[in-house]
Amino acid sequence: MNPGKGQTMWGGRFAATPSDIMNEINASLDVDRRMAGEDVAASRAHADMLAQMGILSASDNEAIQSGLDMIAAEMRAGTFPFRRELEDIHMNVEARLRELIGEPAGRLHTARSRNDQVVTDFRLWTRGALAQTSHLVTALQAALVRRAGENTSTYMPGFTHLQTAQPVTLGHHLLAYVEMLERDRTRLLDCAWRLNECPLGAAALAGTGFPIDRDMTAEALGFARPMANSLDAVGSRDFALEALSTLSIGATHLSRLAEEIVLWTSPQFGFAQLPDEWSTGSSIMPQKRNPDAAELIRAKASLITGLFSALQGAVKALPLAYAKDLQDDKRLTFEAFDTFDLCARAMAGMVETIRFKPDMMQAAAGRGYSTATDLADWLVREAGLPFRDAHHATGQIVALAESKGAELAELSLADLQKVNSAITKDVFNVLTVEASASSRTSYGGTSPVRVAEQVAQWTQRLRLE
Ligand code: ARG
């Protein structure tokens, strides 16, 4: 029956229409209109299957398919009449179909429910979003690998506790993020693989008595198989939770790099400068060059985690199967993807253009007794000391240098020999920043040779040549 003015499609048993506030809280169109393309695609697959199985006549299916063609064209042209009073995207498409083709439109909803329809659309949308986001992650990795390649022998202080620890190479530091992002990217792909089962045909919650072919709709929509349990199909959202938890971890990585950009571009560090395109000024302090994008990425990582947490909260106490709480899953998921994608793009832009200051980095790498471990290692290797004794002797040498306001390499041989008589002038060869970083040739280590190898591998893996 065609709903009359002011009536909903489900209004058969109701005497009165919903109140305005009820409509306001119930409507999801502003959010789920983003799944318009997916909704049309799923309806096409469903109608074709109904026709194939003899549940729908061939001529009705033709009418439905051509109506859906027109709707798709209207959507592309931006002329589709979205109507909030029709609640959601599914009702909007169906109502428009009825306007365009009349009676056969009412047959489309045979053997399906909005419950399986919405989650089919949502899985399709999320699958596409995961693919797009993984490409953005790859683009960021590519930018990092390029900058790492320029900086295989740029030396900087490596930190633990944000205290100078040992010299490292900038290339090595940047490649650490490439590794983290690779795990994020593959987590996104894992998630896409696991979500790729089709809920369509689960109907409201229990399946249907119509002789449908769920393999056919699954295949038409590019899913690996139909979901095996109808209650699970309409009631589960762990695919979205998995996507959001993955984005949350990825955003955490972006945030750590953002924090380093904030530190590095501060006058106190002076390791790097962001170009004008990626800086903002202060309305009162003319000298300021603020790394706003990096700061925003830092904050947005928490936002994404909050979105994950909100979805987890919505799902955790829901009895099976569908409940309207699940309508908000899309708002949270769309915002998480939009936010992450924007952050990934902004981070790639900053990484591509940030100007490193190798001299400042190298000078900082030489401060803070960063080669003390090299001195201790030398005592082990050349003077045969047990490492613990070498560590103790080096501690005494650092204290001596500190009292003189000098760096290790600035102490005289006589000073060093006062602490341990076995020390020779050869020790000075290991006390420089270059010598220290270059000596760390173990697999995964910071030496320029190892980093160059890693850059070459990543260049090949990401097909950057
Ligand atoms: N707009 C709804 C959602 O996003 C569609 C499903 C409605 N199902 C229902 N039983 N009322 O969840």
Side-chain angles (χ1 to χ4, degrees):
M1 201 182 50
N2 201 351
K5 193 169 159 40
Q7 274 185 315
T8 60
M9 270 189 223
W10 38 258
R13 62 154 296 176
F14 293 91
T17 54
S19 84
D20 290 348
I21 305 290
M22 175 61 202
N23 281 333
E24 184 71 24
I25 196 171
N26 203 30
S28 59
L29 181 69
D30 293 345
V31 173
D32 59 28
R33 56 186 286 170
R34 274 179 79 165
M35 306 193 305
E38 288 80 1
D39 200 68
V40 170
S43 286
R44 281 184 190 290
H46 183 67
D48 274 340
M49 179 278 291
L50 292 178
Q52 178 76 26
M53 301 308 290
I55 304 166
L56 187 69
S57 72
S59 61
D60 281 347
N61 185 35
E62 265 167 42
I64 288 172
Q65 298 295 344
S66 73
L68 291 171
D69 280 343
M70 290 185 254
I71 287 174
E74 288 180 341
M75 284 170 175
R76 277 195 302 276
T79 56
F80 181 85
F82 287 103
R83 281 167 290 194
R84 278 191 97 215
E85 62 277 17
L86 292 174
E87 211 178 305
D88 60 21
I89 184 62
H90 323 294
M91 310 271 224
N92 267 267
V93 170
E94 195 180 322
R96 182 66 182 148
L97 190 63
R98 181 176 283 271
E99 284 169 3
L100 292 169
I101 66 166
E103 197 256 3
R107 300 184 186 277
L108 172 60
H109 212 54
T110 314
R112 87 175 177 186
S113 149
R114 273 190 297 156
N115 294 353
D116 60 339
Q117 203 182 345
V118 68
V119 72
T120 301
D121 295 358
F122 190 26
R123 278 181 186 255
L124 288 170
W125 187 92
T126 306
R127 190 174 73 186
L130 287 164
Q132 160 163 319
T133 302
S134 69
H135 287 128
L136 292 173
V137 172
T138 305
L140 173 55
Q141 288 178 298
L144 285 161
V145 170
R146 274 194 289 271
R147 298 311 304 271
E150 295 161 16
N151 290 286
T152 52
S153 45
T154 304
Y155 301 99
M156 64 181 282
F159 300 96
T160 59
H161 314 265
L162 197 57
Q163 306 284 321
T164 303
Q166 293 171 353
V168 296
T169 50
L170 175 57
H172 191 221
H173 194 112
L174 297 176
L175 287 183
Y177 284 99
V178 176
E179 298 284 342
M180 292 177 230
L181 290 167
E182 181 64 3
R183 290 190 292 275
D184 296 328
R185 193 185 69 82
T186 52
R187 270 188 280 267
L188 292 171
L189 300 182
D190 288 351
C191 177
W193 175 81
R194 225 179 329 278
L195 77 64
N196 204 32
E197 292 188 333
C198 188
L200 194 60
L205 75 166
T208 174
F210 288 100
I212 59 172
D213 182 346
R214 294 193 54 209
D215 289 299
M216 185 178 162
T217 41
E219 197 190 320
L221 294 169
F223 287 109
R225 66 191 76 82
M227 291 182 76
N229 182 301
S230 61
L231 296 167
D232 176 42
V234 296
S236 294
R237 293 295 183 273
D238 52 282
F239 69 92
L241 280 171
E242 188 177 354
L244 266 53
S245 65
T246 300
L247 294 181
S248 167
I249 295 169
T252 303
H253 292 151
L254 298 185
S255 175
R256 292 184 76 169
L257 181 52
E259 168 66 8
E260 303 210 277
I261 290 177
V262 170
L263 287 173
W264 292 354
T265 56
S266 71
Q268 286 69 22
F269 269 77
F271 287 3
Q273 190 181 53
L274 285 169
D276 291 358
E277 292 83 346
W278 292 99
S279 305
T280 58
S282 155
S283 54
I284 176 170
M285 296 165 285
Q287 85 283 11
K288 292 296 282 297
R289 174 185 279 282
N290 295 328
D292 288 24
E295 295 163 66
L296 286 161
I297 289 171
R298 223 167 36 181
K300 288 181 194 300
S302 305
L303 172 66
I304 292 172
T305 303
L307 292 164
F308 164 77
S309 172
L311 181 56
Q312 190 270 347
V315 174
K316 76 174 172 55
L318 279 193
L320 290 180
Y322 175 87
K324 203 65 176 259
D325 311 45
L326 294 177
Q327 177 160 279
D328 274 340
D329 56 0
K330 291 168 286 296
R331 173 190 304 277
L332 304 171
T333 303
F334 295 170
E335 187 170 355
F337 273 100
D338 290 347
T339 306
F340 184 91
D341 289 359
L342 182 60
C343 290
R345 286 196 163 99
M347 184 54 86
M350 286 190 284
V351 167
E352 269 157 23
T353 57
I354 193 168
R355 284 192 284 272
F356 295 115
K357 300 181 182 170
D359 295 346
M360 298 289 280
M361 287 184 163
Q362 172 137 6
R367 288 193 294 272
Y369 309 109
S370 64
T371 56
T373 316
D374 301 273
L375 173 54
D377 286 349
W378 188 90
L379 286 167
V380 170
R381 226 177 21 246
E382 306 296 330
L385 265 62
F387 183 77
R388 279 288 151 234
D389 296 351
H391 185 283
H392 187 76
T394 306
Q396 291 176 310
I397 292 171
V398 168
L400 180 67
E402 234 168 5
S403 73
K404 295 189 169 217
E407 293 300 328
L408 293 181
E410 290 163 5
L411 292 174
S412 67
L413 183 58
D415 281 337
L416 297 174
Q417 285 173 337
K418 256 181 257 161
V419 177
N420 189 302
S421 58
I423 297 180
T424 70
K425 67 174 177 10
D426 286 353
V427 80
F428 289 103
N429 294 333
V430 303
L431 296 183
T432 65
V433 164
E434 292 92 326
S436 169
S438 303
S439 73
R440 298 210 149 66
T441 51
S442 55
Y443 178 73
T446 204
S447 74
V449 276
R450 289 291 94 84
V451 174
E453 283 167 10
Q454 290 294 321
V455 166
Q457 276 196 18
W458 275 111
T459 303
Q460 221 181 25
R461 271 172 83 171
L462 299 176
R463 300 197 210 299
L464 295 180
E465 281 160 339

